[in-house]
């Protein structure tokens, strides 16, 4: 394992801990009305989003624990249908139960990541058929994006520049064929992807990243492909 991979994963782990703390603070004292309220995601209440984050955290904890034993395990038992059913089943729990479940899941997840040593980051996992190093990045994405999806105090405007750069790179497959997408942030470097007809979009880095992540609209922007 190279030092660069180890260093990058450790930086991501620090970012994950920061994101988890932000999320826990945001939902502290969540009341029933707020829990039942709409999230940013169509058709999902805040209870759905909180349940999804908790369930994802448990699923990723299991990925880490099995990987450290040299084993592989499915992300969700029963696949996507079971994942979706579990979200729906848990979304309507009392607010206090939602937040307690989330905080416990986050605590267990961070404890699992803390057990990953320098030589472990290249261990394979079934989440996206990748490695623990990619898994910590996926955890970072899930926590930051879905925290803003709650529609509370956090918004994509809080996303740090390194996260925006990472997310834009991860989402490159969203650019359709025949389009040369040019994002020109007012507060960062130009980002380009694809070949074909030029499509230049301007705005803040967070606004452009939020659009590419399907969390904002920009007039005149091309239609994007699904998440990779």
């Amino acid at each position: 394992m190279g030092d660069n991979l180890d260093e990058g994963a450790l930086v991501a782990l620090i970012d994950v801990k920061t994101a988890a703390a932000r999320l826990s603070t945001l939902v502290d004292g969540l009341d029933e009305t707020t829990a039942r309220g709409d999230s940013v995601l169509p058709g999902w209440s805040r209870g759905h989003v909180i349940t999804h984050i908790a369930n994802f955290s448990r699923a990723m904890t299991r990925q880490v624990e099995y990987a450290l034993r040299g084993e592989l395990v499915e992300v969700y038992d029963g696949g996507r249908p079971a994942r979706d059913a579990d979200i729906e089943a848990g979304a309507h729990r009392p607010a206090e139960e939602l937040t307690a479940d989330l905080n416990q899941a986050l605590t267990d997840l961070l404890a699992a990541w803390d057990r990953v040593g320098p030589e472990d980051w290249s261990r394979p996992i079934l989440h996206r058929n990748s490695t623990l190093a990619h898994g910590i990045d996926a955890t970072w994405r899930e926590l930051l994006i879905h925290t803003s999806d709650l529609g509370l105090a956090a918004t994509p405007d809080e996303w740090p520049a390194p996260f925006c750069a990472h997310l834009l790179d991860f989402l490159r497959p969203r650019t359709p064929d025949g389009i040369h997408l040019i994002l020109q942030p007012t507060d960062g470097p130009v980002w380009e992807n694809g070949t074909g007809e030029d499509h230049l979009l301007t705005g803040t880095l967070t606004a452009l990243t939020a659009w590419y992540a399907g969390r904002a609209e920009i007039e005149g922007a091309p239609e994007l492909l699904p998440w990779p």
Side-chain angles (χ1 to χ4, degrees):
M1 157 115 29
D3 291 340
N4 288 340
L5 178 57
D6 183 32
E7 181 179 349
L10 290 176
V11 170
L13 178 55
I14 293 171
D15 291 330
V16 162
K17 290 181 176 180
T18 300
R22 171 63 168 144
L23 174 57
S24 292
T25 299
L26 199 64
V27 301
D28 184 41
L30 187 75
D31 60 41
E32 296 301 327
T33 300
T34 305
R36 305 284 83 82
D38 292 338
S39 74
V40 173
L41 299 177
W44 271 20
S45 69
R46 295 187 181 96
H48 286 86
V49 176
I50 291 172
T51 300
H52 170 54
I53 301 172
N55 290 354
F56 168 84
S57 297
R58 277 188 288 271
M60 187 57 74
T61 296
R62 192 169 71 153
Q63 293 290 294
V64 176
E65 291 174 344
Y66 272 74
L68 293 179
R69 299 201 297 262
E71 302 175 32
L72 297 173
V73 66
E74 291 294 334
V75 181
Y76 296 98
D77 289 331
R80 183 64 179 253
R83 164 199 176 272
D84 294 345
D86 286 343
I87 293 171
E88 187 60 37
H92 310 286
R93 291 171 293 168
E96 184 176 354
E97 185 177 340
L98 285 168
T99 55
D101 183 42
L102 174 63
N103 286 329
Q104 186 60 59
L106 290 174
T107 296
D108 294 343
L109 177 60
L110 297 182
W113 281 121
D114 277 336
R115 292 195 290 273
V116 178
E119 300 304 317
D120 294 324
W121 292 108
S122 61
R123 288 178 180 268
I125 58 175
L126 287 188
H127 183 270
R128 295 184 172 273
N129 293 314
S130 59
T131 65
L132 286 175
H134 290 98
I136 192 67
D137 286 338
T139 303
W140 191 25
R141 293 193 300 270
E142 288 287 320
L143 294 187
L144 259 70
I145 292 173
H146 287 313
T147 293
S148 63
D149 286 339
L150 287 170
L152 297 174
T155 71
D157 287 338
E158 290 188 2
W159 293 353
F163 178 73
C164 291
H166 162 75
L167 188 56
L168 288 172
D169 187 59
F170 171 75
L171 293 175
R172 282 182 182 275
R174 297 206 74 191
T175 300
D177 291 339
I179 287 181
H180 175 214
L181 184 61
I182 307 167
L183 304 184
Q184 190 171 59
T186 56
D187 52 351
V190 173
W191 182 89
E192 301 180 55
N193 188 38
T195 58
E197 181 182 355
D198 287 347
H199 281 260
L200 172 65
L201 302 177
T202 61
T204 64
L205 176 60
T206 52
L208 293 170
T209 305
W211 165 76
Y212 204 51
R215 265 66 183 178
E217 295 184 2
I218 295 179
E219 186 176 355
E223 184 174 348
L224 298 172
L225 297 176
W227 270 63

